[in-house]
């Protein structure tokens, strides 16, 4: 008989401790407000429009540079070396890498386009390129399959060169940055 009473007391004590702990740790609205303030303090945000513009240009340059690097390293360079031609040694692997690079480049160009919206001059320079960037969406699949690789490579190269020229005209010069394999596979 003493054993069930002991279990009951332990269970009751643990239940009370859990309820008291849950109430103390944010059962009211004060806990949520504190968490929101802590989260806002943890994420720095620019306060002036000049800082916002600088960060927009910096992010644009970083994203466009990664897109340009991936395009050159895994699409243009192998194409120039003839790796996409039927019967070429390592063709299948080159096409798979080009497809991944195409998806990565498209993703980074979309991000760069969004970044450009934070700077008026950059926004005006990049706005006409939105249709060209959107047109790249289906091309990585064509690369992976080996379909019309010449036109796909030219499309990617043209858009990258247009983005670089737009960035340079707005004071944000883009330089190629080859992404790591983990960045490429992670998108």
């Amino acid at each position: 008989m003493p054993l069930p009473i002991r279990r009951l007391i332990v269970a009751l004590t643990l239940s009370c401790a859990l309820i008291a702990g849950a109430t103390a740790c944010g059962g009211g609205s004060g806990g949520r407000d504190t968490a929101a303030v802590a989260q806002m303090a943890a994420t720095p945000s620019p306060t002036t429009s000049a800082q916002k513009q600088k960060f927009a240009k910096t992010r644009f340059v970083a994203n466009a540079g990664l897109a340009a690097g991936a395009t050159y390293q895994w699409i243009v360079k192998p194409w120039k070396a003839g790796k996409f031609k039927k019967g070429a040694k390592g063709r299948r692997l080159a096409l798979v890498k080009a497809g991944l690079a195409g998806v990565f480049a498209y993703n980074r160009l979309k991000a760069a386009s969004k970044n450009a919206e934070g700077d008026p001059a950059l926004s005006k320079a990049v706005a006409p390129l939105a249709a060209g960037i959107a047109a790249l969406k289906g091309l990585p699949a064509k690369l992976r399959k080996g379909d019309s690789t010449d036109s796909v490579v030219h499309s990617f190269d043209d858009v990258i060169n247009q983005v670089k020229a737009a960035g340079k005209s707005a004071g944000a010069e883009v330089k190629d940055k080859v992404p790591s394999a983990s960045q490429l596979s992670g998108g």
Side-chain angles (χ1 to χ4, degrees):
M1 189 95 144
L3 187 59
I5 293 176
R6 220 181 260 163
R7 287 183 184 166
L8 180 65
I9 292 174
V10 169
L12 184 63
T13 305
L14 285 175
S15 297
C16 290
L18 287 174
I19 291 171
T23 305
C25 288
S29 64
R32 282 185 227 130
D33 292 340
T34 306
V37 169
Q39 183 181 11
M40 287 173 42
T43 55
S45 63
T47 55
T48 66
S49 61
Q51 285 176 323
K52 287 180 186 177
Q53 289 176 9
K54 181 180 178 185
F55 291 143
K57 279 186 178 181
T58 302
R59 288 191 300 254
F60 170 82
V61 168
N63 283 320
L66 285 169
T71 299
Y72 181 75
Q73 183 70 28
W74 287 293
I75 297 175
V76 175
K77 195 172 165 184
W79 174 77
K80 285 181 178 179
K83 295 254 183 184
F84 297 159
K85 292 182 181 177
K86 291 187 180 186
K89 185 176 180 182
R91 178 179 189 252
R92 186 174 297 177
L93 181 61
L95 289 172
V96 169
K97 285 180 182 180
L100 283 172
V103 170
F104 179 83
Y106 171 74
N107 184 342
R108 293 298 86 208
L109 286 173
K110 290 290 283 184
S113 178
K114 186 161 178 71
N115 296 143
E117 294 171 5
D119 181 70
L122 199 52
S123 179
K124 287 178 189 174
V126 175
L129 304 177
I133 292 170
L136 296 177
K137 186 174 185 173
L139 297 183
K142 285 185 176 184
L143 273 176
R144 279 190 300 254
K145 293 177 186 173
D147 297 342
S148 60
T149 56
D150 292 350
S151 64
V152 173
V153 171
H154 287 299
S155 296
F156 269 101
D157 201 31
D158 289 345
V159 170
I160 291 292
N161 289 331
Q162 291 171 0
V163 168
K164 284 180 168 183
K168 189 172 184 175
S169 72
E173 189 172 350
V174 176
K175 295 182 180 180
D176 293 6
K177 291 183 182 177
V178 178
S180 68
S182 64
Q183 285 176 315
L184 188 67
S185 64

